[in-house]
Amino acid sequence: MKRAGIETPVMLIPELCNMTGLTDDQRADFKLMKAFTTASAPTPPERIKSLQRFAERVQGIDTITAELDSWDLRFDPQPAKLQGRTLAPEEICTGKGKKGSYKIENADWGGQVGRNYYLWAGVNCASWAVIYPGRDQENVKEFVNSLSNLAGSMGLMFQGPPLREEVSSPRTPDYKKALDKVLDKGVRMVVVVIPNNKSDAYAMVKKTCLIQKPTSSQVVTATVLKKWVPKGIQSVATKIAIQMACKLGGEPWTVPIPVKGLMVIG
């Protein structure tokens, strides 16, 4: 409102207001987010039909047509056609000689990361730690067990169980104290479970681990663990293990590049 020059408080009537955005529970709802993505990211044919309907509505209102005529503007009911080509699907290579591809309709190759998945280049982790709030102890225990069990089978080699540090409260200063305590012991990777994605603990963890005491770090929200424990925790643990492996220097997959001495960025 300051941009409009209004400096005084603006009174809102609660009954006439609606909340915007998504809550943490809504973001953790897989079915809701899938429906949201479908609505917000339509396929090209659906997008074209939407634009055609918009053009028809604009041309069907005399006042809008008159305004456009005054600017010498016209809406073509049909979108411009351009000559293009469709690239063949790439071959995705993971560890132990496994290869796969994806559907050309959506280029979604997340299915390559599933059962019997192995990193293209595995990595060792000599020591690691888990920092978590006490109230989520059981969910964290289930998550750590799943992570420890599947990590070795995919090429992320933990040399032992994690150092566990419980946080007494969700306050960021308490997380900072626990994090400093763990990092002073020289661990190679620290996993921090924060209450939700609204917590400023995330920024604190990254600042500490990137600037003050350089250490690989992985942040997980307790709301995600609560949503997927016990069913679905294997899938969550797999994706997090891949992220951890990359931060430790591992390589999750590759694609064949026939040209030698070429680097592809982006």
Side-chain angles (χ1 to χ4, degrees), residues 189-219:
M189 164 66 72
V190 58
V191 179
V192 183
V193 180
I194 61 177
N196 51 58
N197 55 12
K198 293 182 179 179
S199 172
D200 56 355
Y202 177 86
M204 180 277 297
V205 170
K206 292 304 178 181
K207 181 179 180 180
T208 301
C209 293
L210 290 173
I211 301 175
Q212 300 173 359
K213 301 178 180 181
T215 307
S216 298
S217 63
Q218 179 66 47
V219 178

Side-chain angles (χ1 to χ4, degrees), residues 106-125:
N106 56 16
D108 179 13
W109 46 279
Q112 300 301 318
V113 182
R115 292 183 179 274
N116 302 321
Y117 167 75
Y118 200 87
L119 296 167
W120 173 255
V123 64
N124 292 325
C125 182

Side-chain angles (χ1 to χ4, degrees), residues 10-257:
V10 178
M11 304 299 179
L12 301 176
I13 302 175
E15 290 79 4
L16 301 180
C17 297
N18 289 315
M19 294 289 291
T20 59
L22 299 174
T23 65
D24 292 336
D25 290 338
Q26 289 173 327
R27 291 182 184 278
D29 189 329
F30 175 77
K31 293 182 179 180
L32 174 63
M33 293 307 297
K34 184 176 181 180
F36 179 79
T37 301
T38 301
S40 61
T43 61
E46 292 172 343
R47 192 181 296 274
I48 290 175
K49 290 181 180 179
S50 177
L51 291 174
Q52 289 175 327
R53 289 194 296 268
F54 171 74
E56 291 173 357
R57 290 201 305 270
V58 168
Q59 293 176 330
I61 301 177
D62 295 337
T63 53
I64 295 180
T65 303
E67 181 67 23
L68 292 176
D69 287 340
S70 67
W71 287 83
D72 196 23
L73 295 175
R74 302 285 189 279
F75 267 104
D76 192 328
Q78 297 297 326
K81 294 184 178 181
L82 303 174
Q83 187 69 30
R85 61 175 179 155
T86 301
L87 299 176
E90 290 290 342
E91 186 177 58
I92 311 299
C93 301
T94 56
K96 295 186 176 181
K98 186 178 178 182
K99 299 179 180 180
S101 189
Y102 49 81
K103 292 182 179 180
I104 196 170
E105 294 82 8
N106 56 16
D108 179 13
W109 46 279
Q112 300 301 318
V113 182
R115 292 183 179 274
N116 302 321
Y117 167 75
Y118 200 87
L119 296 167
W120 173 255
V123 64
N124 292 325
C125 182
S127 59
W128 60 303
V130 179
I131 299 174
Y132 60 93
R135 63 185 180 184
D136 297 300
Q137 180 177 359
E138 291 303 317
N139 289 339
V140 172
K141 181 180 178 181
E142 187 76 23
F143 164 68
V144 171
N145 288 340
S146 296
L147 182 62
S148 300
N149 291 334
L150 66 84
S153 65
M154 59 187 288
L156 172 57
M157 303 300 181
F158 291 124
Q159 300 304 309
L163 173 67
R164 301 171 187 256
E165 186 66 30
E166 183 177 319
V167 182
S168 58
S169 78
R171 295 174 61 250
T172 300
D174 291 333
Y175 269 95
K176 172 64 173 173
K177 183 178 179 180
L179 183 60
D180 286 336
K181 180 180 178 181
V182 166
L183 296 181
D184 288 341
K185 297 182 180 180
V187 297
R188 281 202 64 197
M189 164 66 72
V190 58
V191 179
V192 183
V193 180
I194 61 177
N196 51 58
N197 55 12
K198 293 182 179 179
S199 172
D200 56 355
Y202 177 86
M204 180 277 297
V205 170
K206 292 304 178 181
K207 181 179 180 180
T208 301
C209 293
L210 290 173
I211 301 175
Q212 300 173 359
K213 301 178 180 181
T215 307
S216 298
S217 63
Q218 179 66 47
V219 178
V220 186
T221 61
T223 50
V224 169
L225 298 184
K226 182 179 180 181
K227 173 69 178 179
W228 295 104
V229 171
K231 294 182 178 179
I233 194 60
Q234 285 284 108
S235 176
V236 172
T238 299
K239 294 176 181 177
I240 291 177
I242 294 174
Q243 296 180 52
M244 293 171 64
C246 291
K247 294 171 182 178
L248 289 167
E251 300 173 28
W253 48 72
T254 189
V255 293
I257 300 177

